Structure formats: C-alpha cells, structure tokens
C-alpha cells in the first residue's frame, strides 16, 4: 500500500511528494503513538515535530519533541513490553507500557527499526526509514 507525505525541501523551501510502501492503518497507528508519546513528554504548548527526509532509496520519518528527554541507560529498553522510564508519570498518564513495543513490531513488519536519540532536559527524536514508493507517472518518465 502506498502512503504519501509532503516533506519540505530545506534548500528550495518547496514541498516534494513522498510515498512509502507500508500499510496505511499500521503506519497511522505507529505515528499516532509516537506523536502522543512526544506530546506527553513535553510541556503544554511545546512543539512536536514530524519530519519526512530523503535517505537514499528510503524516506526517514522522525518525531521529535522538546520534552524531558530520556536517560541514556533507558534507551535500549524503550521497546520492551511494559518498560517505563518514569513509572510514576506513566501511571498518572494512563499508559500501559506497550505502546513503543507495538510501534517496534509495526516498524519491523515494514522492514524498519525504531531509532531513539535523546538528551535529558532537551528532548527526544524517534526515527525510522521506509522504502520509497515510485509513482506510476514517475515510472513512465524514466
């Protein structure tokens, strides 16, 4: 299934069309969960950024926040079922601790892996890369 994103070319400030090969419902669930996690980790009114960047024959999708960040020792455990960085905060927000584990499984189904980068006190970025999908009109132009 083809899903379309509109990344902004930083050089020209022009949007370009991006399509990836992925199940639309699962991809929406994955991105929704990552965006909600980012929003929960951030102060009210903070920005959560969703980026789509070219990465060779793939598109790199990133969800970035300016929240509390994650300690380095916790990063390897984030996709373990029921793992919580801050157990008290997670319970208060009603989280079950399975969201990132499910996201990791969805990413794996697409042939991708979640990548986490984080700095405590500055925020977190979660990324994955998905294969580019070629549009029928692009194939005809080649």
């Amino acid at each position: 299934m083809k899903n379309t994103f509109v990344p902004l070319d930083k050089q020209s400030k022009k949007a370009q069309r991006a399509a990836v090969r992925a199940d639309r419902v699962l991809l929406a669930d994955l991105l929704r969960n990552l965006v909600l996690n980012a929003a929960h980790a951030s102060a009210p009114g903070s920005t959560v950024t969703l980026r789509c960047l070219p990465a060779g024959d793939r598109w790199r999708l990133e969800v970035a926040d300016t929240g509390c960040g994650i300690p380095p020792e916790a990063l390897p455990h984030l996709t373990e079922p029921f793992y919580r960085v801050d157990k008290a905060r997670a319970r208060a927000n009603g989280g079950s601790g399975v969201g990132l584990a499910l996201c990791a499984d969805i990413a794996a189904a697409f042939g991708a892996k979640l990548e986490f980068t984080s700095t405590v006190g500055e925020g977190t970025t979660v990324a994955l890369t998905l294969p580019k999908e070629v549009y029928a009109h692009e194939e005809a132009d080649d």
Side-chain angles (χ1 to χ4, degrees), residues 20-70:
V20 297
R21 185 177 302 264
D23 180 275
R24 182 182 313 247
V25 173
L26 290 176
L27 183 59
D29 285 345
L30 185 150
L31 292 174
R32 182 180 313 108
N33 191 337
L34 295 180
V35 168
L36 288 173
N37 282 354
H40 284 128
S42 301
S46 296
T47 299
V48 172
T49 304
L50 178 60
R51 289 186 285 267
C52 180
L53 307 165
D57 64 345
R58 301 173 73 83
W59 288 108
R60 180 177 173 87
L61 304 178
E62 296 180 347
V63 177
D65 65 55
T66 55
C68 56
I70 301 166

Side-chain angles (χ1 to χ4, degrees), residues 22 40 54 60 83-84 87 90 109 128 132 136 138:
H40 284 128
R60 180 177 173 87
Y83 181 80
R84 300 173 191 226
K87 291 163 183 43
L128 71 152
K132 288 183 179 179
E138 290 176 1

